Every structure is written in C-alpha cells, then in structure tokens.
Amino acid sequence: MKTVFMVAEKPSLAQSIAKILSRGNMTSHKGLNGACSVHEYTGSFIGQSVHFKMTSVCGHVMTLDFIGKYNNWDKVDPAELFSKAPTEKKEANPKLTMVKFLQVEGRGCDYIVLWLDCDKEGENICFEVLDSVIPVMNKPRGTEKTVYRAKFSSITDTDICNAMNSLGEPNRNEALSVDARQELDLRIGCAFTRFQTKYFQGKYGNLDSSLISFGPCQTPTLGFCVERHDKIQSFKPETYWVLQAKVNHEKESSLTLEWDRVRVFDREIAQMFLNITKMAREAKVESVSKKEKAKQRPLALNTVEMLRVASAALGMGPQHTMQIAERLYTQGYISYPRTETTHYPENFDLKESLRQQTNNPYWAETVKALLSEGVNRPRKGHDAGDHPPITPMRAATEAELGGDGWRLYEYITRHFIATLCADCKYLQTTISFIIGPEHFTCIGKMVISPGFTDIMPWQSIPLEESLPNCEKGDVFPVNEVKLLEKQTNPPDYLTEAELITLMEKHGIGTDASIPVHINNICQRNYVTVESGRRLKPTNLGIVLVHGYYKIDAELVLPTIRSAVEKQLNLIAQGKANYQQVLEHTLDIFKRKFHYFVDSIAGMDELMEVSFSPLAATGKPLSRCGKCHRFMKYIQAKPSRLHCSHCDETYSLPQNGTIKLYKELRCPLDDFELVLWSSGSRGKSYPLCPYCYNHPPFRDMKKGMGCNECTHPTCQHSLSMLGIGQCVECENGVLVLDPTSGPKWKMACNKCNVIVHFFENAHKVRVSPETCESCDAALVDVDFNKAKSPLPGDETQHSGCVFCDPVFQDLVELKHAATRHPMHRGGQGRRQGRGRGKGRRPGGRPNPKRPKDKMAALAAYFV
C-alpha cells in the first residue's frame, strides 16, 4: 500500500484537516520534536487505497541569514552586506529540529500533499517542506506526479473535502517573490541598522533604544507618523467667526440654523453681518426639498478593514488582532483572515454561512428574517484573486471564545450579516431660510428603512431634532442671532487605523506584514501608543526621520518601497525575473547607503540637539582597568559602561540590574567586576566589563560572564564555582551563585534552570574534590546551628548535590524568572559556548549528567 504524506502549517490545523478527511477514524501520536503530532488513517487517493500520514510544521521551516562570520558586527563592514556577504537558509527554530522531523515522517512516502496557508508565505513554506522531504521519498515512476497542493479558505468539511478533490501544484513564482522580499529586507535592513546603531550608540547615551533599526517598510511607516507630528507642530491656529441663528417653530421649541457662508476670518466683517441680520425679526422659508437617500451596506470584509476597525472601535492593536484572527481561523470559527478581496465569488454559499448564525441571541431574528425573505447579493467589491472575504464559518458563544476573541468574532459576524442586508434608507429634508440679506440652512434626516444598521447599530443614522412642516414663503420668528468666535484646530496624531489606510494606499507592506511594521516602530521606541490608539513619535523617531529627509528623502518616503512591492508582485505573477529584480534593487540601495554614510554628519547635527553625549550621561559605577578612573553606567537601552577618559564603551547584559561587585577586580585586566541580576527569583552572575567584550581565552565568546570564564584559578570563574552538568540542557554547567546566601542557589550558565539548596546555611563552598558516582564537584556546607538538617548537633557536611542522601531533600529545581528571554548583551542572538568533552577547566573531569537524580529534581519543578 502506498503512503501519502500531508503537511499543514500548524499542529491544530493538521489535526482538524485529518479529522475531517478521516471522518474521525484516525490514530495520533507525538512526533520526535514534541511539538507536532502525526495523524494516520487509511483512505482513497487518485483511485487507489493508500495510507495517509498527516502532520504539520510550525510556520516557516527555514529562515534566511548571513553565514557565520558576517553576523559579527565588529569585524564586518556593513557595506559588504549588499553583495559580498553570502546568505544561507538556516532552520527557523533549531530546537524543533523540523527538517529531521519531516524527513523521519516523510521517509518512504510516495506522494506529498501540501496543506500550507494559501498565500505567498504559504507557497514559500511549501518549497521549504519539499526541500526537506523530496530527497527521502520514494522515487516516482517515469513522469508520475507526486507533489500536490491543496487550496482552501476555511476549516469546514465542505471546503476541506473540495480542496482534496481538486488538488493543484505549489506556485514557484509566489515562493520566489517571498525569497526576494526576505533577502532585500535582510541585506538592506541589516546594513543600515548596523551602521546607524554603532554610530549613534557610540556617541549618545540616552537614546533609550537597544537597536536603531532601519527597514525598507518600517521606515516609511514611521515617516507617516512623523509627517503628521510635523503638521501639528507647525500648525498656527486662526481665529474665525460663525453666525448662528435660532428660530421658533413651536411654543417652547427652537430650531438652530447653519450659516451658508460657514465662517469668516475678519472680525469686523463678521460684526457687520451680525448687525444687518439682527435687524430682521423674521426668517422666511426660501425653499423646502425632500430627497430619499441610501447609506450603502459595507463591502465584504478584508484584512485591512478588519485591522482598521479592530484598532479604531475595539481598541486592539494590529498585531494582537491578527493573532486572535489566526486563532479563530485555526479553530474553524472564521475563514482565512489574510485576504485583500472584498468580493464573494459567485459559487460561495452565503446562505450556508448565514444558517450557522440562526441560534445566536444577538442576531438570530435578523438572520431568520433574511433567510425567509431572501438575502441581498453583497456589493461588488475588489477581487484580488486570493481568498474570499473574511467570513464566520460556524457559530460561537461569548463563553467559548471569551474576551477579545469574542469581540473580534462578533464584529466579523455582524459585518458579514450586514453585507447581506438591504441598504439603510432615509429621507433628508433641507429647509433654506433668509434672514435679512443672509441665507441659512437646516437639514434633518428621518429613517425610512434601517436595513443593515439594525445589525451594525453604530452605523445608524443619528436621531436629530424634528423639522417643522413648512412650505416656501412661510415665516418664523427669529429667537436669537449671535456671533460665535472659534479657532482652527491642528490635526491629531495618526491613529493606527489611519496609518493602516496610508500604508495600504501607498503600497507599504502587505495585509500580512502591515501589523508587523507597526509593531516594530513601537518596539524600537520610535513611537508610543497614546489613548485612542494614536501613535505619537518619540524624539528618537522624529530625529531619525528628519535626518533621512535631510540626507536622502527617498529612504523615508513611500515611493521607492511602493515601486519595489510592485516588482515583487510581478515576480509572483511570473512577469519579472527574480535575480534581476534582486540585483537592481540592491544596487539602488547600496548607492544610497554609501551616500548616507558619507552624509551622516547631517543627521548627527540633529542628534546633538536632542540627545546627550556619552560622557555627559550616566552615573559613576566601577573603575576602568586601564586608567583606574570611574566608568559611568548608562542605564538607558542598551545599558553599558563608558570610560570618558579612555573614550571606550563596554556593552553589558540587558534586561536586568547592574551593580558593583564588592569592589573586586579581574586578575587579568584589573577592571572592577560588576554583578548582573534578573531579580530575586532569577539568576545573577559577576562579570568583568573588559572580558565580557574582549574574550580572554579562545574557548570563550563575546558576551560571557565569570560563570562561563575558563580562567583556571580566578575565584569567580567557572573553574572554581562550577558544580555539575545542567540537568536539562546539553552544554550548560550549574554554577554556584556566591551572592545568593542565605537562600543559596546554583544556576545554569546556558539556560534558565536554577537549583535552590541549603537555605540558612552560613557558608557554601565548591570543593576541589569530585563525586565518585557522577563526577560533579562536591560542596562544603556550614549550616546554621539552630536550623541545621544534619543529625545531632552537626553543622558541617561535604557531599554531592546530586548523590548525597543528606542533601537530596534540600534541593529544589526551578526556572529563572527572567525579565526577557534574552539576558545577554551584545547582539542578542549569540549562543553560549559548548563545553568540550573530557575535563572541565581547572583540571576537574566533566561531570556526568546525573540521570537517576533528574527525576528526583523534576519532582520539585515549579
């Protein structure tokens, strides 16, 4: 029997699709990576009985990066990143070992069916999966087709079965357009980011951003926000005057009239109009017009409109909205949430989607009325050729989805129902008056048929005061005529909804990437999100944009990125050559980069006005080993030490606190040590600022503290304080934290494992002797006499933390409460070094992993 291997984009999708296709008759087991399950069943495929294996990936299998040496910021000229630096595909998440997992499960299979999301990113992942699986599949006979692509828009029985019965092929051109975008963003973004980060962080101390990033889409997005800020700052309010009249139309009721001139900016002229109008005692009706109007129901919902409404009406950021929408999709509640289309295809079963909503108490009556009276065909929108508009696919309750999930689902459902309702119809009455020589107007609206506003009440016609029944020539007594003094107002800061509209209009990003770009400018501290989800640029964001305008406006204007997006779309359509587009675009940005570097003084002039130089920032903390003067600790991101005398800056671990470590000095360079800590429940370790930035030994890397230092005799090093191999990770060593008493602990120098032990002990010391069973270093413990766990009056004991029965009940394994998953300084992505086989630094053997004790420690896991 032949085997069909099927791959979805997420584990939950794989389970749902397999359940539908197998009709629930399947077996499941966890894959070797622990993250993805494998679902198996027997069925029919292209006219033969086959064995199906369904599994998934977790998003992209591979990611694009520079080869090793080009990731070193200190040794590589950023200009080389445009062409010289080779790139390679690496596993996106090495811990998942996704390539190995796919090869193990796909080995010996005869066919592969790709159930990845049906967008450009999904097509790209298709080929990442194929690159992993094709080499281990059975070879096809002759020209036999073995690769199939399923196209679907929702996780419903009908859609999944239809997709299985109409399999196609993956789209190589769409995948190439994603490859091109990835390489352009990597090369351009990294080159500009590395240069301006190193340049400005080396000069200014209070930028408060760990990365001064540039992105071909991110920077124009920031540009829109700063452009609005500039308009606000340059706005000069003007005073104007408005004539307002009120007439009596009932005994105790008056009608406010609007002046046809609207407003005037000259006080004397306004006063003249007031004087001549006040002379009249009556308002004469010049004309009465009544016109039936319609407020159109909304177009079907696409991604951009969903993001706009979620931000403006629901107060949910774009990134958060997409996460919720994707969850609703994978759970089968809505159709695919990434679409540019606002037009339903002719064969879309609108009534079936509507029937799903007949039992919801919020809109059941409206739905039943539509089904009985007949639905209106949705308005003709834009067909982008991707997915149908976002549609609710099955009923849900607030209890099922809860919180933001329900709020977004409710909006999507109400929007869908509204597209099938009639337009809202109302009667607009306009009465024109003349008072003296001046003309005034009054407009009133009366709803004839609410239509779609029943289900979208926030769109309803507002209730207004009723207008009098009158005819041309009728006269009303004037109650009051007065002059109102007002001022023009500046525009407000951009809302997320307005920014999304601008990005869509100018072709910046895609429906999938727009939330990412907005989130990036927030994360980089370029803008802050104010009340009403308005985006206010920070000083850093403003200075960067003004600097780009000063040097090369095209770096921040949307025009050049919009042109690149059009080229990428042509690649996806097979109308442009991938390599030519890549080379041409990189050549343009390479020239711009060189000009930017040569002209950086222009941006520097702006920076000097807003930010303080390093020498004037921070507080004295520890002594420099070169000049023995105090270095200043700069707490603003990225935290670092600066010696103004030597003009040297030393990076530090991030996302923790730094303090002086007992005024102790490094034996290698005489720098005073500092102590990094992630808090009382986290880990802490001392480090030498110089060694941290300039590794003293070959087996050390930049960004290592004393807990990883291989100095053979230093009392703070791994050699002196290392106890045993970590019970969880492969390369880590559990190192005694000498500052943790009386609540003593040892922490892994690679992962976030912490082992608490010997509470209330006076002293804990790592012995030079090792355990005979596991080769871990023994510890000498001096307990508090009043609280000693030792028998009799004993207070001192030496033994192995893992093997000694006296110590066994005093050990508790936890995970460190870190402020951020990356606690290293420098570039953030650095991996800790692996320990060599054989012997530990300082002459001790490498401790064996105490496997028999791991279960005991795990019992204390928190």
Side-chain angles (χ1 to χ4, degrees):
M1 185 182 289
K2 291 190 174 182
T3 302
V4 179
F5 187 48
M6 304 198 294
V7 184
E9 191 154 322
K10 296 182 180 71
S12 56
L13 276 177
Q15 183 179 10
S16 300
I17 293 168
K19 196 172 182 180
I20 292 169
L21 294 175
S22 68
R23 294 183 172 86
N25 188 23
M26 64 183 188
T27 59
S28 303
H29 65 270
K30 277 284 184 188
L32 63 86
N33 64 2
C36 304
S37 294
V38 181
H39 314 282
E40 301 185 54
Y41 63 97
T42 303
S44 176
F45 185 74
I46 53 174
Q48 57 185 317
S49 181
V50 296
H51 177 71
F52 285 99
K53 287 178 77 175
M54 179 80 183
T55 189
S56 75
V57 290
C58 295
H60 274 283
V61 179
M62 311 299 286
T63 186
L64 189 71
D65 202 357
F66 296 111
I67 63 169
K69 73 172 186 177
Y70 286 93
N71 282 317
N72 188 320
W73 287 36
D74 299 321
K75 295 181 180 178
V76 175
D77 181 354
E80 294 182 26
L81 302 181
F82 284 98
S83 53
K84 288 185 181 178
T87 59
E88 62 179 343
K89 291 271 190 176
K90 299 177 181 177
E91 284 206 49
N93 190 340
K95 288 184 179 178
L96 290 178
T97 58
M98 193 60 73
V99 172
K100 182 180 178 182
F101 165 71
L102 289 171
Q103 290 179 342
V104 167
E105 297 300 338
R107 187 174 298 279
C109 291
D110 301 282
Y111 306 99
I112 183 168
V113 180
L114 300 157
W115 290 86
L116 285 307
D117 286 350
C118 299
D119 57 11
K120 290 172 188 172
E121 293 290 337
E123 297 303 322
N124 190 262
I125 300 172
C126 281
F127 287 93
E128 292 175 356
V129 171
L130 290 175
D131 288 343
S132 301
V133 177
I134 291 287
V136 299
M137 287 175 59
N138 291 335
K139 300 299 178 188
R141 296 177 182 175
T143 58
E144 183 185 20
K145 184 179 176 182
T146 58
V147 177
Y148 295 88
R149 174 74 162 109
K151 295 279 187 178
F152 59 102
S153 296
S154 62
I155 314 302
T156 61
D157 292 15
T158 304
D159 215 10
I160 296 302
C161 292
N162 286 342
M164 191 65 181
N165 293 328
S166 55
L167 297 171
E169 296 179 6
N171 189 318
R172 169 69 72 177
N173 290 327
E174 289 191 358
L176 282 174
S177 75
V178 174
D179 282 339
R181 178 182 280 107
Q182 286 179 350
E183 186 162 349
L184 289 174
D185 289 350
L186 176 72
R187 291 186 182 277
I188 297 167
C190 283
F192 278 91
T193 297
R194 289 188 191 183
F195 171 73
Q196 61 188 29
T197 298
K198 289 192 71 177
Y199 185 86
F200 291 121
Q201 285 185 354
K203 293 192 71 173
Y204 303 101
N206 56 341
L207 298 174
D208 202 25
S209 182
S210 53
L211 202 66
I212 315 299
S213 66
F214 174 95
C217 285
Q218 170 195 302
T219 304
T221 302
L222 174 62
F224 290 130
C225 300
V226 175
E227 183 184 14
R228 176 62 63 88
H229 167 84
D230 291 342
K231 285 180 180 177
I232 294 169
Q233 294 302 306
S234 61
F235 184 84
K236 293 179 180 178
E238 287 186 84
T239 304
Y240 66 90
W241 289 264
V242 175
L243 208 57
Q244 188 186 79
K246 290 185 179 180
V247 298
N248 294 328
H249 72 97
E250 288 178 4
K251 287 183 179 180
E252 295 181 358
S253 180
S254 64
L255 197 65
T256 302
L257 310 183
E258 299 295 328
W259 193 22
D260 284 8
R261 293 184 191 274
V262 184
R263 61 187 179 180
V264 293
F265 288 88
D266 189 304
R267 172 64 193 254
E268 290 183 3
I269 293 174
Q271 188 64 46
M272 178 197 72
F273 283 126
L274 176 65
N275 292 339
I276 60 176
T277 306
K278 267 190 168 182
M279 294 169 66
R281 296 279 179 251
E282 292 179 333
K284 186 179 179 181
V285 177
E286 274 199 312
S287 65
V288 179
S289 68
K290 293 188 178 184
K291 190 174 183 181
E292 188 175 306
K293 292 194 169 185
K295 185 174 184 178
Q296 283 191 311
R297 61 194 184 276
L299 286 167
L301 187 64
N302 67 3
T303 307
V304 169
E305 181 63 15
M306 178 184 72
L307 295 175
R308 270 197 291 254
V309 173
S311 176
L314 305 181
M316 292 160 51
Q319 185 96 332
H320 180 53
T321 300
M322 282 312 301
Q323 289 169 351
I324 293 170
E326 285 169 1
R327 192 181 78 230
L328 292 174
Y329 162 67
T330 56
Q331 292 172 342
Y333 290 106
I334 64 171
S335 63
Y336 192 61
R338 298 187 191 277
T339 178
E340 296 175 14
T341 295
T342 57
H343 177 73
Y344 282 105
E346 295 300 321
N347 62 351
F348 193 93
D349 195 343
L350 295 165
K351 285 188 176 180
E352 179 56 34
S353 296
L354 198 57
R355 286 190 194 99
Q356 300 287 330
Q357 305 297 330
T358 51
N359 295 321
N360 191 297
Y362 293 109
W363 44 74
E365 287 186 19
T366 305
V367 170
K368 288 174 182 174
L370 280 171
L371 289 170
S372 62
E373 297 167 12
V375 299
N376 293 278
R377 188 73 198 166
R379 288 168 57 197
K380 186 172 177 63
H382 169 66
D383 185 0
D386 49 0
H387 286 271
I390 303 168
T391 308
M393 301 312 295
R394 67 184 176 99
T397 63
E398 190 170 357
E400 278 178 70
L401 304 181
D404 289 344
W406 166 253
R407 292 166 67 221
L408 186 61
Y409 174 84
E410 181 186 13
Y411 168 71
I412 291 169
T413 306
R414 286 184 182 275
H415 190 110
F416 167 68
I417 297 169
T419 63
L420 306 177
C421 292
D423 293 343
C424 170
K425 294 180 181 176
Y426 61 94
L427 184 68
Q428 180 170 298
T429 304
T430 306
I431 307 175
S432 296
F433 292 88
I434 186 168
I435 305 174
E438 289 304 295
H439 295 267
F440 295 82
T441 304
C442 188
I443 298 175
K445 297 172 184 175
M446 185 177 71
V447 175
I448 299 170
S449 170
F452 77 94
T453 61
D454 269 347
I455 196 71
M456 297 178 84
W458 61 90
Q459 294 271 22
S460 60
I461 303 297
L463 293 172
E464 298 176 349
E465 55 183 324
S466 58
L467 297 184
N469 290 319
C470 57
E471 297 178 357
K472 183 179 179 180
D474 287 353
V475 174
F476 293 85
V478 175
N479 182 357
E480 174 186 40
V481 180
K482 62 181 178 180
L483 201 60
L484 302 178
E485 183 178 310
K486 297 185 177 182
Q487 276 195 328
T488 54
N489 293 316
D492 211 335
Y493 285 104
L494 282 179
T495 62
E496 282 175 332
E498 291 168 337
L499 179 57
I500 291 166
T501 302
L502 285 170
M503 293 174 73
E504 182 191 32
K505 177 184 174 183
H506 292 280
I508 300 300
T510 63
D511 53 359
S513 65
I514 282 173
V516 177
H517 302 316
I518 296 175
N519 186 60
N520 281 344
I521 63 173
C522 296
Q523 293 292 318
R524 299 285 181 258
N525 193 34
Y526 294 162
V527 299
T528 57
V529 182
E530 306 291 315
S531 62
R533 300 208 68 82
R534 294 190 178 275
L535 301 170
K536 183 178 180 180
T538 62
N539 273 348
L540 180 57
I542 294 164
V543 170
L544 282 173
V545 169
H546 289 175
Y548 295 136
Y549 271 116
K550 192 172 181 179
I551 297 171
D552 181 356
E554 283 192 335
L555 291 175
V556 72
L557 288 172
T559 46
I560 192 165
R561 182 60 194 195
S562 180
V564 172
E565 287 289 347
K566 287 175 183 175
Q567 292 296 310
L568 295 175
N569 284 333
L570 289 175
I571 294 174
Q573 295 163 20
K575 296 177 181 178
N577 180 274
Y578 161 80
Q579 200 61 42
Q580 288 177 354
V581 170
L582 202 62
E583 289 174 1
H584 176 67
T585 307
L586 287 173
D587 182 59
I588 291 171
F589 274 96
K590 184 178 181 180
R591 294 169 189 267
K592 288 183 174 296
F593 176 78
H594 284 296
Y595 183 73
F596 179 73
V597 172
D598 293 341
S599 311
I600 194 66
M603 186 181 281
D604 209 10
E605 290 171 3
L606 301 176
M607 285 280 186
E608 286 175 352
V609 176
S610 299
F611 301 102
S612 305
L614 278 174
T617 313
K619 298 177 180 178
L621 179 70
S622 65
R623 290 186 184 274
C624 171
K626 295 179 180 179
C627 65
H628 301 290
R629 289 178 170 87
F630 275 104
M631 296 189 293
K632 285 187 173 181
Y633 171 47
I634 299 163
Q635 202 165 356
K637 289 182 181 179
S639 58
R640 53 212 192 272
L641 286 167
H642 177 70
C643 177
S644 54
H645 185 264
C646 301
D647 195 23
E648 292 278 356
T649 304
Y650 301 96
S651 61
L652 296 169
Q654 302 297 301
N655 304 299
T657 58
I658 293 282
K659 61 182 181 181
L660 192 62
Y661 185 53
K662 304 177 184 176
E663 297 185 1
L664 297 171
R665 293 177 182 268
C666 175
L668 294 173
D669 49 48
D670 212 29
F671 273 71
E672 282 188 332
L673 303 183
V674 294
L675 183 74
W676 178 88
S677 173
S678 64
S680 59
R681 292 189 301 155
K683 38 194 295 195
S684 59
Y685 56 84
L687 63 108
C688 164
Y690 190 84
C691 295
Y692 188 83
N693 290 269
H694 306 92
F697 304 112
R698 286 185 180 179
D699 57 352
M700 289 180 66
K701 292 181 181 178
K702 186 176 178 180
M704 289 185 170
C706 296
N707 62 344
E708 295 183 80
C709 177
T710 53
H711 192 292
T713 59
C714 176
Q715 60 177 321
H716 317 293
S717 70
L718 171 65
S719 308
M720 294 293 104
L721 297 177
I723 293 177
Q725 188 173 342
C726 178
V727 295
E728 285 203 358
C729 69
E730 288 295 326
N731 298 319
V733 176
L734 293 168
V735 182
L736 175 68
D737 181 351
T739 67
S740 58
K743 296 185 177 181
W744 297 92
K745 59 188 175 187
M746 57 181 175
C748 177
N749 59 5
K750 300 292 183 190
C751 69
N752 64 344
V753 163
I754 288 180
V755 178
H756 291 264
F757 51 13
F758 317 134
E759 189 167 343
N760 296 314
H762 281 310
K763 187 184 293 184
V764 176
R765 186 178 67 85
V766 181
S767 168
E769 298 177 14
T770 56
C771 174
E772 294 180 1
S773 300
C774 70
D775 286 340
L778 302 184
V779 290
D780 302 328
V781 185
D782 186 357
F783 288 102
N784 185 318
K785 189 172 183 179
K787 297 181 179 179
S788 174
L790 302 177
D793 294 330
E794 292 184 33
T795 58
Q796 295 182 341
H797 186 78
S798 292
C800 175
V801 170
F802 303 105
C803 306
D804 194 308
V806 175
F807 287 161
Q808 193 168 359
D809 292 336
L810 306 176
V811 176
E812 182 180 4
L813 179 67
K814 289 189 176 182
H815 276 132
T818 53
R819 300 183 184 184
H820 189 277
M822 296 304 294
H823 67 271
R824 290 192 191 280
Q827 296 170 42
R829 284 193 177 185
R830 297 188 183 280
Q831 300 295 318
R833 63 180 180 84
R835 292 190 301 125
K837 303 284 183 185
R839 302 184 70 80
R840 291 169 59 209
R844 294 182 186 141
N846 256 350
K848 299 171 188 172
R849 185 184 297 274
K851 293 180 181 177
D852 53 327
K853 299 301 175 187
M854 284 175 66
L857 286 172
Y860 291 96
F861 225 111
V862 175

